[in-house]
Amino acid sequence: MDQVAFEQSHDRSLLQVPTKQFFDQYVIDNGMLGRVVHHQGEDGKPVIDTKLVTELRIG
């Protein structure tokens, strides 16, 4: 998976898009690195290259 699209409501109390850091940590914590584009950083830790795209939805 190289890109994930999220729908962001104009009212963030109804629907909020996760941060990139939250998404990355979730993927790592749940053993899903094989499902996303990633590489190894200089410190030996995985760096997730999957892009998050936010689309504003009105209504």
Side-chain angles (χ1 to χ4, degrees), residues 3 5 7 12 14 16 20-23 27 29-30 33 35 40 42 45 49-50 54-55 57-59:
Q3 182 172 303
E7 295 181 7
R12 290 184 180 209
L14 296 176
Q16 189 166 359
K20 177 74 164 104
Q21 293 81 12
F22 178 86
F23 175 83
V27 169
D29 290 347
N30 290 283
L33 278 175
R35 298 180 181 195
Q40 188 172 3
E42 292 179 10
K45 295 182 181 178
D49 299 318
T50 298
T54 303
E55 300 175 0
R57 298 290 185 198
I58 298 174

Side-chain angles (χ1 to χ4, degrees), residues 2-39:
D2 65 346
Q3 182 172 303
V4 178
F6 289 99
E7 295 181 7
Q8 174 69 60
S9 172
H10 69 282
D11 183 352
R12 290 184 180 209
S13 67
L14 296 176
L15 179 65
Q16 189 166 359
V17 173
T19 64
K20 177 74 164 104
Q21 293 81 12
F22 178 86
F23 175 83
D24 291 356
Q25 196 59 52
Y26 182 88
V27 169
I28 292 167
D29 290 347
N30 290 283
M32 294 188 240
L33 278 175
R35 298 180 181 195
V36 296
V37 179
H38 68 282
H39 67 276

